[in-house]
């Protein structure tokens, strides 16, 4: 399966997705600009992505913790999610997401 | 500068690795002062995952982030480390005589022979809430921490958030303020249940207000707010306020470490694997903040690095003194230091 990730500079990358992995892990392991400071513990919001319409609706509802964290980002949009909370499965084959500016590493911040 | 503290070693960062360094240095009779921007020890373990279990600390099949921190504090207690919390080390300079001078944002100066940077993922800094123009009020009427309670006396205070910091300060400030409103997006709190209950009692007694909503725009002038808008289901409500305390959690930024003239590799301090010394002799870097070939960002690795660093630091603190390697199980001398015999 694959996911399509647009980075902060607008370039789209086609990444090999792995069933059962977190979207954040795939994006991080492919070396894109994602900070993911807490390693997927849903406690940092530095893995913030915008999920493209059509895919966004397919995702399970965010938890209250995820909602709280998203609210703490400056660049939240209606289609915001934390990519560490999106578990990949065949249903999400071809999902398109865009990295939010607030997901950038400090050294490469947009 | 008002305070000057002179000591052997200053450790920057009281995360698990900085704490364990106190133990290794203590066995060699070296006394430490630790400085951390957080208001308590534990670094990432205490701040990001206090309740989550860690499974790869040798000898602990399972221990939580807070549990590990508490155990480390107990383990190093015999060495009497001195902690300086809620301040950031902003400056680090080598002096002509080879010693070091550090400055904090709390107007202190430290002088020491050795600096151990155990700054982990960087300094924790408060997250700014998503409110336009909030910068112009920061540190004048909008604060992300309470440094001086008196700044809040007889003020109309609005606290935003649902975690421990928000609840703790609601309870602590309530007796001295003119009015206090706690605002949170939902009616569930991530704080200690006892604090939540106490807060609810105060609401019932009419001593504080609670609003279910989100913080909107700020009104005021010259850095002084006079109204905070809260968007609630019932619409936008302007609330009179002279102080705002948003608690939106913390994020880690490398911060001033980048400006200390040390050789860096992708924002991490380059060290050797014999002493864990940086490019400046006398400045060591251990734990998540350092880089060397094969580095693993694990607590375990940081502990190992602390042990080797301590041996090298001893040679700087007491030049010429012979260090005899001893085990804590069999050395009466070490056991005396630990207060167990
Ligand atoms: C969710 C999560 C789960 C994890 N699980 C594990 C696990 O299972 N096993 C494992 O081994 N590791 C785990 N880790 C990694 C582990 O937490 C780190 O390796 C460890 O905390 C590093 O310790 P440290 O003392 O080097 O740094 P930190 O814990 O980052 O502490 C550094 C401290 O330095 C302070 N500081 C930095 N700069 C300054 C300054 N200029 N002035 C004052 N203070 C400063 C910071 O505020 C901080 O308190 C996990 C991490 C996370 C986020
Ligand atoms: S990686 Fe921290 S919240 Fe997702």
């Amino acid at each position: 399966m694959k996911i399509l990730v647009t980075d902060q500079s607008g370039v789209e990358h086609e990444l090999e997705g792995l069933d059962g992995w977190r979207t954040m892990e795939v994006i991080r392991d492919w070396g894109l600009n994602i900070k993911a400071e807490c390693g997927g513990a849903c406690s940092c919001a530095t893995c913030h992505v915008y999920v493209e319409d059509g895919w966004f609706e397919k995702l399970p509802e965010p938890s209250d913790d995820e909602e709280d964290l998203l609210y703490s980002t400056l660049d939240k949009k209606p289609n915001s999610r934390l990519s560490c909370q999106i578990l990949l499965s065949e249903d999400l084959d071809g999902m398109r997401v865009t990295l939010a500016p607030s997901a950038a590493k400090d050294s490469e911040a947009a | 500068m008002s305070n000057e503290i002179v000591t052997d070693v200053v450790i920057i960062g009281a995360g698990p690795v900085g704490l364990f360094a106190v133990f290794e240095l203590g066995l060699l009779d070296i006394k430490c002062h630790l400085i951390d921007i957080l208001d308590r020890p534990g670094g990432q373990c205490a701040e990001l995952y206090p309740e989550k279990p860690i499974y790869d600390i040798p000898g602990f099949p399972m221990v939580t982030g807070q549990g590990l921190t508490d155990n480390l504090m107990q383990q190093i207690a015999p060495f009497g480390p001195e902690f300086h919390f809620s301040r950031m080390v902003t400056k680090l300079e080598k002096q002509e005589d080879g010693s070091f001078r550090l400055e904090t944002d709390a107007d202190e100066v430290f002088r020491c022979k050795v600096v151990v940077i155990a700054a982990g993922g960087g300094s924790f800094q408060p997250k700014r809430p998503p409110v336009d123009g909030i910068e112009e009020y920061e540190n004048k009427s909008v604060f992300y921490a309470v440094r001086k309670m008196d700044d809040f006396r007889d003020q109309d205070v609005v606290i935003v958030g649902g975690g421990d910091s928000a609840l703790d300060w609601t309870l602590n400030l309530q007796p001295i303020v003119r009015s206090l409103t706690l605002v949170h997006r939902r009616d569930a709190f991530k704080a200690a249940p006892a604090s939540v209950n106490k807060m609810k009692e105060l609401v019932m007694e009419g001593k504080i207000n609670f609003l279910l909503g989100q913080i909107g725009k700020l009104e005021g002038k010259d850095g002084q707010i006079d109204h905070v808008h809260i968007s609630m289901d019932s619409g936008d409500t302007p609330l009179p306020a002279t102080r705002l305390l948003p608690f939106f959690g913390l994020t880690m930024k490398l911060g001033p470490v980048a400006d200390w003239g040390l050789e860096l590799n992708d924002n991490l301090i380059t060290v050797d694997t014999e002493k864990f010394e940086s490019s400046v002799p006398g400045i060591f870097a251990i734990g998540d903040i350092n880089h060397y070939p094969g580095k693993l960002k694990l607590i375990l690795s940081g502990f190992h690095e602390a042990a080797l660093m301590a041996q090298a630091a001893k040679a700087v603190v007491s030049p010429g003194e012979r260090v005899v390697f001893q085990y804590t199980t069999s050395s009466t001398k070490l056991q005396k230091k630990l207060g167990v015999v």
Side-chain angles (χ1 to χ4, degrees), chain A residues 37-38 41, chain B residues 12-18 35-38 42-44 48-49 54 56 87-89 118-124 252 256 260 286-288 297-300:
Chain A
E37 171 176 287
C38 79
Chain B
I12 304 172
V17 177
I35 307 172
D36 203 299
I37 185 106
L38 294 179
Q44 295 177 41
L48 297 178
Y49 58 103
I54 313 172
D56 58 351
R87 54 257 287 143
M88 170 149 76
V89 178
S123 50
F124 280 100
M252 291 174 96
W260 294 339
I286 56 175
D288 278 14
K297 282 194 187 179
L298 283 180
I299 296 169
L300 167 79

mmCIF file of all heavy atoms in Angstrom, chain A residues 37-38 41, chain B residues 12-18 35-38 42-44 48-49 54 56 87-89 118-124 252 256 260 286-288 297-300, ligand 1:
data_model
loop_
_atom_site.group_PDB
_atom_site.id
_atom_site.type_symbol
_atom_site.label_atom_id
_atom_site.label_comp_id
_atom_site.label_asym_id
_atom_site.label_seq_id
_atom_site.Cartn_x
_atom_site.Cartn_y
_atom_site.Cartn_z
ATOM 1 N N GLU A 37 7.843 14.734 18.163
ATOM 2 C CA GLU A 37 8.662 14.827 19.372
ATOM 3 C C GLU A 37 8.359 13.746 20.416
ATOM 4 O O GLU A 37 9.248 13.248 21.084
ATOM 5 C CB GLU A 37 8.396 16.216 19.936
ATOM 6 C CG GLU A 37 8.918 16.557 21.269
ATOM 7 C CD GLU A 37 8.598 18.033 21.545
ATOM 8 O OE1 GLU A 37 9.251 18.888 20.923
ATOM 9 O OE2 GLU A 37 7.695 18.316 22.349
ATOM 10 N N CYS A 38 7.095 13.376 20.568
ATOM 11 C CA CYS A 38 6.766 12.442 21.656
ATOM 12 C C CYS A 38 6.740 10.998 21.172
ATOM 13 O O CYS A 38 6.382 10.092 21.930
ATOM 14 C CB CYS A 38 5.459 12.817 22.327
ATOM 15 S SG CYS A 38 3.993 12.308 21.437
ATOM 16 N N ALA A 41 3.077 9.296 21.310
ATOM 17 C CA ALA A 41 2.357 9.137 22.575
ATOM 18 C C ALA A 41 1.148 10.072 22.680
ATOM 19 O O ALA A 41 0.552 10.184 23.738
ATOM 20 C CB ALA A 41 3.309 9.386 23.743
ATOM 21 N N ILE B 12 23.243 20.863 33.268
ATOM 22 C CA ILE B 12 22.116 21.548 32.620
ATOM 23 C C ILE B 12 21.113 20.483 32.201
ATOM 24 O O ILE B 12 21.379 19.684 31.306
ATOM 25 C CB ILE B 12 22.587 22.352 31.395
ATOM 26 C CG1 ILE B 12 23.681 23.342 31.807
ATOM 27 C CG2 ILE B 12 21.401 23.061 30.733
ATOM 28 C CD1 ILE B 12 24.344 24.038 30.627
ATOM 29 N N GLY B 13 19.983 20.435 32.883
ATOM 30 C CA GLY B 13 18.942 19.449 32.574
ATOM 31 C C GLY B 13 18.814 18.433 33.690
ATOM 32 O O GLY B 13 19.785 17.754 34.050
ATOM 33 N N ALA B 14 17.601 18.337 34.260
ATOM 34 C CA ALA B 14 17.351 17.367 35.332
ATOM 35 C C ALA B 14 16.442 16.253 34.820
ATOM 36 O O ALA B 14 15.533 15.813 35.504
ATOM 37 C CB ALA B 14 16.750 18.069 36.542
ATOM 38 N N GLY B 15 16.682 15.816 33.596
ATOM 39 C CA GLY B 15 16.006 14.633 33.055
ATOM 40 C C GLY B 15 16.645 13.390 33.662
ATOM 41 O O GLY B 15 17.531 13.494 34.524
ATOM 42 N N PRO B 16 16.241 12.198 33.246
ATOM 43 C CA PRO B 16 16.778 10.996 33.874
ATOM 44 C C PRO B 16 18.297 10.915 33.797
ATOM 45 O O PRO B 16 18.949 10.482 34.753
ATOM 46 C CB PRO B 16 16.127 9.855 33.071
ATOM 47 C CG PRO B 16 15.613 10.469 31.818
ATOM 48 C CD PRO B 16 15.293 11.883 32.163
ATOM 49 N N VAL B 17 18.862 11.401 32.714
ATOM 50 C CA VAL B 17 20.305 11.276 32.521
ATOM 51 C C VAL B 17 21.057 12.274 33.406
ATOM 52 O O VAL B 17 22.048 11.918 34.055
ATOM 53 C CB VAL B 17 20.656 11.420 31.020
ATOM 54 C CG1 VAL B 17 22.151 11.368 30.806
ATOM 55 C CG2 VAL B 17 19.942 10.325 30.211
ATOM 56 N N GLY B 18 20.557 13.509 33.480
ATOM 57 C CA GLY B 18 21.157 14.494 34.382
ATOM 58 C C GLY B 18 21.096 14.011 35.816
ATOM 59 O O GLY B 18 22.045 14.154 36.587
ATOM 60 N N ILE B 35 20.267 22.587 36.875
ATOM 61 C CA ILE B 35 19.366 23.672 36.466
ATOM 62 C C ILE B 35 18.391 23.114 35.442
ATOM 63 O O ILE B 35 18.803 22.414 34.507
ATOM 64 C CB ILE B 35 20.171 24.828 35.834
ATOM 65 C CG1 ILE B 35 21.305 25.267 36.770
ATOM 66 C CG2 ILE B 35 19.253 26.002 35.494
ATOM 67 C CD1 ILE B 35 22.268 26.264 36.146
ATOM 68 N N ASP B 36 17.110 23.395 35.611
ATOM 69 C CA ASP B 36 16.140 22.942 34.608
ATOM 70 C C ASP B 36 15.028 23.971 34.450
ATOM 71 O O ASP B 36 14.586 24.590 35.412
ATOM 72 C CB ASP B 36 15.530 21.591 34.994
ATOM 73 C CG ASP B 36 14.989 20.846 33.772
ATOM 74 O OD1 ASP B 36 14.081 21.380 33.094
ATOM 75 O OD2 ASP B 36 15.487 19.749 33.491
ATOM 76 N N ILE B 37 14.592 24.094 33.227
ATOM 77 C CA ILE B 37 13.503 25.033 32.923
ATOM 78 C C ILE B 37 12.171 24.524 33.476
ATOM 79 O O ILE B 37 11.274 25.312 33.772
ATOM 80 C CB ILE B 37 13.440 25.272 31.399
ATOM 81 C CG1 ILE B 37 12.408 26.328 31.020
ATOM 82 C CG2 ILE B 37 13.174 24.022 30.638
ATOM 83 C CD1 ILE B 37 13.056 27.603 30.623
ATOM 84 N N LEU B 38 12.053 23.218 33.652
ATOM 85 C CA LEU B 38 10.823 22.674 34.235
ATOM 86 C C LEU B 38 10.800 22.988 35.737
ATOM 87 O O LEU B 38 11.832 23.301 36.318
ATOM 88 C CB LEU B 38 10.742 21.156 34.035
ATOM 89 C CG LEU B 38 10.595 20.658 32.602
ATOM 90 C CD1 LEU B 38 10.566 19.138 32.582
ATOM 91 C CD2 LEU B 38 9.333 21.211 31.962
ATOM 92 N N GLY B 42 12.932 15.132 36.085
ATOM 93 C CA GLY B 42 12.359 14.040 35.272
ATOM 94 C C GLY B 42 12.371 14.270 33.770
ATOM 95 O O GLY B 42 12.169 13.329 33.011
ATOM 96 N N GLY B 43 12.589 15.510 33.326
ATOM 97 C CA GLY B 43 12.664 15.780 31.890
ATOM 98 C C GLY B 43 11.476 15.207 31.131
ATOM 99 O O GLY B 43 10.330 15.336 31.567
ATOM 100 N N GLN B 44 11.769 14.545 30.004
ATOM 101 C CA GLN B 44 10.702 13.992 29.160
ATOM 102 C C GLN B 44 9.840 12.984 29.916
ATOM 103 O O GLN B 44 8.637 12.899 29.709
ATOM 104 C CB GLN B 44 11.297 13.285 27.940
ATOM 105 C CG GLN B 44 12.019 14.205 26.990
ATOM 106 C CD GLN B 44 12.640 13.436 25.835
ATOM 107 O OE1 GLN B 44 12.045 12.513 25.289
ATOM 108 N NE2 GLN B 44 13.840 13.826 25.456
ATOM 109 N N LEU B 48 6.362 14.359 29.471
ATOM 110 C CA LEU B 48 5.634 13.808 28.309
ATOM 111 C C LEU B 48 4.950 12.482 28.589
ATOM 112 O O LEU B 48 3.977 12.146 27.940
ATOM 113 C CB LEU B 48 6.577 13.653 27.103
ATOM 114 C CG LEU B 48 7.178 14.942 26.549
ATOM 115 C CD1 LEU B 48 8.129 14.636 25.392
ATOM 116 C CD2 LEU B 48 6.093 15.892 26.060
ATOM 117 N N TYR B 49 5.492 11.687 29.528
ATOM 118 C CA TYR B 49 4.833 10.394 29.742
ATOM 119 C C TYR B 49 4.918 9.886 31.194
ATOM 120 O O TYR B 49 5.320 8.758 31.434
ATOM 121 C CB TYR B 49 5.363 9.339 28.750
ATOM 122 C CG TYR B 49 6.849 9.058 28.770
ATOM 123 C CD1 TYR B 49 7.357 7.923 29.381
ATOM 124 C CD2 TYR B 49 7.748 9.913 28.147
ATOM 125 C CE1 TYR B 49 8.710 7.652 29.387
ATOM 126 C CE2 TYR B 49 9.109 9.650 28.146
ATOM 127 C CZ TYR B 49 9.570 8.519 28.774
ATOM 128 O OH TYR B 49 10.918 8.261 28.786
ATOM 129 N N ILE B 54 7.636 2.223 30.997
ATOM 130 C CA ILE B 54 8.878 2.009 30.248
ATOM 131 C C ILE B 54 9.265 0.555 30.539
ATOM 132 O O ILE B 54 9.192 0.114 31.684
ATOM 133 C CB ILE B 54 10.022 2.920 30.751
ATOM 134 C CG1 ILE B 54 9.540 4.365 30.922
ATOM 135 C CG2 ILE B 54 11.246 2.846 29.851
ATOM 136 C CD1 ILE B 54 10.564 5.281 31.587
ATOM 137 N N ASP B 56 12.306 -0.960 29.196
ATOM 138 C CA ASP B 56 13.694 -1.342 28.895
ATOM 139 C C ASP B 56 14.722 -0.705 29.827
ATOM 140 O O ASP B 56 15.825 -0.384 29.416
ATOM 141 C CB ASP B 56 14.021 -1.053 27.422
ATOM 142 C CG ASP B 56 13.825 0.414 27.054
ATOM 143 O OD1 ASP B 56 13.273 1.172 27.888
ATOM 144 O OD2 ASP B 56 14.221 0.811 25.945
ATOM 145 N N ARG B 87 14.162 27.723 35.616
ATOM 146 C CA ARG B 87 15.025 28.699 34.974
ATOM 147 C C ARG B 87 15.793 28.030 33.834
ATOM 148 O O ARG B 87 16.129 26.856 33.889
ATOM 149 C CB ARG B 87 16.010 29.387 35.900
ATOM 150 C CG ARG B 87 16.880 28.462 36.690
ATOM 151 C CD ARG B 87 16.475 28.318 38.086
ATOM 152 N NE ARG B 87 16.715 29.413 38.965
ATOM 153 C CZ ARG B 87 15.846 29.738 39.943
ATOM 154 N NH1 ARG B 87 14.721 29.084 40.067
ATOM 155 N NH2 ARG B 87 16.139 30.692 40.805
ATOM 156 N N MET B 88 16.070 28.854 32.841
ATOM 157 C CA MET B 88 16.774 28.338 31.676
ATOM 158 C C MET B 88 18.199 28.870 31.686
ATOM 159 O O MET B 88 18.422 30.040 31.986
ATOM 160 C CB MET B 88 16.050 28.829 30.422
ATOM 161 C CG MET B 88 16.801 28.557 29.148
ATOM 162 S SD MET B 88 15.690 28.284 27.784
ATOM 163 C CE MET B 88 15.165 29.938 27.453
ATOM 164 N N VAL B 89 19.140 27.992 31.354
ATOM 165 C CA VAL B 89 20.513 28.456 31.195
ATOM 166 C C VAL B 89 20.573 29.173 29.852
ATOM 167 O O VAL B 89 20.287 28.585 28.807
ATOM 168 C CB VAL B 89 21.506 27.284 31.207
ATOM 169 C CG1 VAL B 89 22.929 27.795 30.999
ATOM 170 C CG2 VAL B 89 21.400 26.509 32.504
ATOM 171 N N ALA B 118 23.036 17.984 29.869
ATOM 172 C CA ALA B 118 22.131 16.830 29.775
ATOM 173 C C ALA B 118 20.775 17.383 29.361
ATOM 174 O O ALA B 118 19.761 17.151 30.007
ATOM 175 C CB ALA B 118 22.063 16.094 31.112
ATOM 176 N N ALA B 119 20.804 18.156 28.269
ATOM 177 C CA ALA B 119 19.636 18.956 27.890
ATOM 178 C C ALA B 119 18.624 18.196 27.046
ATOM 179 O O ALA B 119 17.636 18.781 26.593
ATOM 180 C CB ALA B 119 20.095 20.220 27.177
ATOM 181 N N GLY B 120 18.844 16.914 26.830
ATOM 182 C CA GLY B 120 17.847 16.070 26.166
ATOM 183 C C GLY B 120 17.402 16.599 24.823
ATOM 184 O O GLY B 120 18.204 16.977 23.970
ATOM 185 N N GLY B 121 16.101 16.657 24.644
ATOM 186 C CA GLY B 121 15.542 17.142 23.377
ATOM 187 C C GLY B 121 15.522 18.658 23.325
ATOM 188 O O GLY B 121 14.960 19.235 22.400
ATOM 189 N N GLY B 122 16.092 19.303 24.322
ATOM 190 C CA GLY B 122 16.106 20.756 24.359
ATOM 191 C C GLY B 122 15.270 21.261 25.504
ATOM 192 O O GLY B 122 14.771 20.473 26.304
ATOM 193 N N SER B 123 15.127 22.576 25.570
ATOM 194 C CA SER B 123 14.396 23.120 26.712
ATOM 195 C C SER B 123 12.897 23.097 26.433
ATOM 196 O O SER B 123 12.451 23.372 25.327
ATOM 197 C CB SER B 123 14.869 24.534 27.006
ATOM 198 O OG SER B 123 14.866 25.296 25.829
ATOM 199 N N PHE B 124 12.161 22.754 27.466
ATOM 200 C CA PHE B 124 10.706 22.764 27.342
ATOM 201 C C PHE B 124 10.238 24.211 27.353
ATOM 202 O O PHE B 124 10.646 24.988 28.207
ATOM 203 C CB PHE B 124 10.078 22.008 28.514
ATOM 204 C CG PHE B 124 10.120 20.528 28.334
ATOM 205 C CD1 PHE B 124 11.081 19.754 28.959
ATOM 206 C CD2 PHE B 124 9.190 19.906 27.519
ATOM 207 C CE1 PHE B 124 11.111 18.381 28.787
ATOM 208 C CE2 PHE B 124 9.204 18.530 27.345
ATOM 209 C CZ PHE B 124 10.163 17.764 27.976
ATOM 210 N N MET B 252 9.348 21.169 22.981
ATOM 211 C CA MET B 252 10.800 21.222 23.202
ATOM 212 C C MET B 252 11.488 21.956 22.059
ATOM 213 O O MET B 252 11.245 21.665 20.906
ATOM 214 C CB MET B 252 11.362 19.802 23.304
ATOM 215 C CG MET B 252 10.916 19.117 24.573
ATOM 216 S SD MET B 252 11.447 17.423 24.595
ATOM 217 C CE MET B 252 12.931 17.587 25.542
ATOM 218 N N PRO B 256 18.956 27.882 23.708
ATOM 219 C CA PRO B 256 20.269 28.528 23.713
ATOM 220 C C PRO B 256 21.450 27.589 23.498
ATOM 221 O O PRO B 256 22.536 28.059 23.149
ATOM 222 C CB PRO B 256 20.348 29.166 25.098
ATOM 223 C CG PRO B 256 19.204 28.662 25.886
ATOM 224 C CD PRO B 256 18.222 28.059 24.976
ATOM 225 N N TRP B 260 26.223 28.189 22.034
ATOM 226 C CA TRP B 260 27.360 28.117 22.949
ATOM 227 C C TRP B 260 28.684 27.746 22.265
ATOM 228 O O TRP B 260 29.658 27.379 22.928
ATOM 229 C CB TRP B 260 27.039 27.129 24.092
ATOM 230 C CG TRP B 260 25.910 27.642 24.956
ATOM 231 C CD1 TRP B 260 25.501 28.944 25.069
ATOM 232 C CD2 TRP B 260 25.051 26.878 25.814
ATOM 233 N NE1 TRP B 260 24.437 29.025 25.939
ATOM 234 C CE2 TRP B 260 24.142 27.781 26.417
ATOM 235 C CE3 TRP B 260 24.959 25.519 26.142
ATOM 236 C CZ2 TRP B 260 23.162 27.377 27.307
ATOM 237 C CZ3 TRP B 260 23.990 25.123 27.031
ATOM 238 C CH2 TRP B 260 23.097 26.035 27.607
ATOM 239 N N ILE B 286 25.766 14.523 27.657
ATOM 240 C CA ILE B 286 25.289 13.142 27.813
ATOM 241 C C ILE B 286 23.782 13.069 27.581
ATOM 242 O O ILE B 286 23.089 14.070 27.691
ATOM 243 C CB ILE B 286 25.636 12.588 29.228
ATOM 244 C CG1 ILE B 286 25.066 13.507 30.327
ATOM 245 C CG2 ILE B 286 27.140 12.434 29.406
ATOM 246 C CD1 ILE B 286 25.255 12.978 31.747
ATOM 247 N N GLY B 287 23.308 11.889 27.230
ATOM 248 C CA GLY B 287 21.869 11.697 27.002
ATOM 249 C C GLY B 287 21.452 12.113 25.600
ATOM 250 O O GLY B 287 22.284 12.239 24.691
ATOM 251 N N ASP B 288 20.159 12.368 25.453
ATOM 252 C CA ASP B 288 19.582 12.624 24.126
ATOM 253 C C ASP B 288 20.216 13.781 23.360
ATOM 254 O O ASP B 288 20.062 13.866 22.144
ATOM 255 C CB ASP B 288 18.083 12.935 24.263
ATOM 256 C CG ASP B 288 17.244 11.678 24.372
ATOM 257 O OD1 ASP B 288 17.821 10.593 24.604
ATOM 258 O OD2 ASP B 288 16.001 11.777 24.232
ATOM 259 N N LYS B 297 19.109 6.918 21.217
ATOM 260 C CA LYS B 297 18.468 7.826 22.182
ATOM 261 C C LYS B 297 17.655 7.006 23.164
ATOM 262 O O LYS B 297 16.434 6.916 23.083
ATOM 263 C CB LYS B 297 17.574 8.818 21.451
ATOM 264 C CG LYS B 297 18.331 9.931 20.797
ATOM 265 C CD LYS B 297 17.392 11.036 20.398
ATOM 266 C CE LYS B 297 18.156 12.067 19.580
ATOM 267 N NZ LYS B 297 17.307 13.153 19.128
ATOM 268 N N LEU B 298 18.369 6.382 24.093
ATOM 269 C CA LEU B 298 17.714 5.575 25.119
ATOM 270 C C LEU B 298 18.214 6.028 26.486
ATOM 271 O O LEU B 298 19.375 6.439 26.622
ATOM 272 C CB LEU B 298 18.067 4.102 24.944
ATOM 273 C CG LEU B 298 17.367 3.331 23.833
ATOM 274 C CD1 LEU B 298 17.857 1.904 23.819
ATOM 275 C CD2 LEU B 298 15.846 3.372 24.013
ATOM 276 N N ILE B 299 17.363 5.875 27.475
ATOM 277 C CA ILE B 299 17.743 6.239 28.835
ATOM 278 C C ILE B 299 18.963 5.416 29.253
ATOM 279 O O ILE B 299 19.924 5.925 29.822
ATOM 280 C CB ILE B 299 16.543 6.007 29.778
ATOM 281 C CG1 ILE B 299 15.402 6.939 29.376
ATOM 282 C CG2 ILE B 299 16.934 6.211 31.232
ATOM 283 C CD1 ILE B 299 14.068 6.650 30.024
ATOM 284 N N LEU B 300 18.905 4.134 28.931
ATOM 285 C CA LEU B 300 20.009 3.204 29.198
ATOM 286 C C LEU B 300 21.344 3.751 28.697
ATOM 287 O O LEU B 300 22.354 3.737 29.414
ATOM 288 C CB LEU B 300 19.672 1.890 28.477
ATOM 289 C CG LEU B 300 20.752 0.849 28.332
ATOM 290 C CD1 LEU B 300 20.889 0.101 29.634
ATOM 291 C CD2 LEU B 300 20.411 -0.107 27.208
HETATM 292 C C1 LIG C 1 6.598 9.155 24.741
HETATM 293 C C2 LIG C 1 8.037 8.747 24.956
HETATM 294 C C3 LIG C 1 8.340 7.450 25.307
HETATM 295 C C4 LIG C 1 9.675 7.050 25.538
HETATM 296 N N1 LIG C 1 9.928 5.743 25.901
HETATM 297 C C5 LIG C 1 11.217 5.379 26.174
HETATM 298 C C6 LIG C 1 11.529 4.037 26.571
HETATM 299 O O1 LIG C 1 10.642 3.180 26.653
HETATM 300 N N2 LIG C 1 12.837 3.723 26.858
HETATM 301 C C7 LIG C 1 13.841 4.649 26.760
HETATM 302 O O2 LIG C 1 15.004 4.313 27.047
HETATM 303 N N3 LIG C 1 13.567 5.912 26.351
HETATM 304 C C8 LIG C 1 12.286 6.296 26.052
HETATM 305 N N4 LIG C 1 12.025 7.581 25.633
HETATM 306 C C9 LIG C 1 13.168 8.491 25.446
HETATM 307 C C10 LIG C 1 13.625 9.040 26.782
HETATM 308 O O3 LIG C 1 12.566 9.767 27.392
HETATM 309 C C11 LIG C 1 14.829 9.943 26.562
HETATM 310 O O4 LIG C 1 15.863 9.166 26.004
HETATM 311 C C12 LIG C 1 15.299 10.533 27.884
HETATM 312 O O5 LIG C 1 14.296 11.321 28.502
HETATM 313 C C13 LIG C 1 16.529 11.379 27.670
HETATM 314 O O6 LIG C 1 16.924 11.859 28.915
HETATM 315 P P1 LIG C 1 17.784 13.183 29.057
HETATM 316 O O7 LIG C 1 17.973 13.336 30.517
HETATM 317 O O8 LIG C 1 18.925 13.095 28.132
HETATM 318 O O9 LIG C 1 16.862 14.357 28.472
HETATM 319 P P2 LIG C 1 15.408 14.909 28.806
HETATM 320 O O10 LIG C 1 14.557 13.895 29.440
HETATM 321 O O11 LIG C 1 14.941 15.534 27.526
HETATM 322 O O12 LIG C 1 15.689 16.056 29.866
HETATM 323 C C14 LIG C 1 16.400 17.201 29.509
HETATM 324 C C15 LIG C 1 16.051 18.321 30.455
HETATM 325 O O13 LIG C 1 16.902 19.437 30.193
HETATM 326 C C16 LIG C 1 16.178 20.628 30.316
HETATM 327 N N5 LIG C 1 16.863 21.692 29.554
HETATM 328 C C17 LIG C 1 17.249 21.668 28.261
HETATM 329 N N6 LIG C 1 17.876 22.796 27.926
HETATM 330 C C18 LIG C 1 17.902 23.563 29.049
HETATM 331 C C19 LIG C 1 18.407 24.860 29.351
HETATM 332 N N7 LIG C 1 19.042 25.601 28.439
HETATM 333 N N8 LIG C 1 18.230 25.343 30.604
HETATM 334 C C20 LIG C 1 17.579 24.603 31.557
HETATM 335 N N9 LIG C 1 17.083 23.370 31.314
HETATM 336 C C21 LIG C 1 17.247 22.862 30.087
HETATM 337 C C22 LIG C 1 14.818 20.272 29.766
HETATM 338 O O14 LIG C 1 13.827 21.157 30.242
HETATM 339 C C23 LIG C 1 14.636 18.834 30.270
HETATM 340 O O15 LIG C 1 13.950 18.772 31.501
HETATM 341 C C24 LIG C 1 10.718 7.986 25.384
HETATM 342 C C25 LIG C 1 10.415 9.311 25.038
HETATM 343 C C26 LIG C 1 9.096 9.711 24.824
HETATM 344 C C27 LIG C 1 8.794 11.111 24.471
#
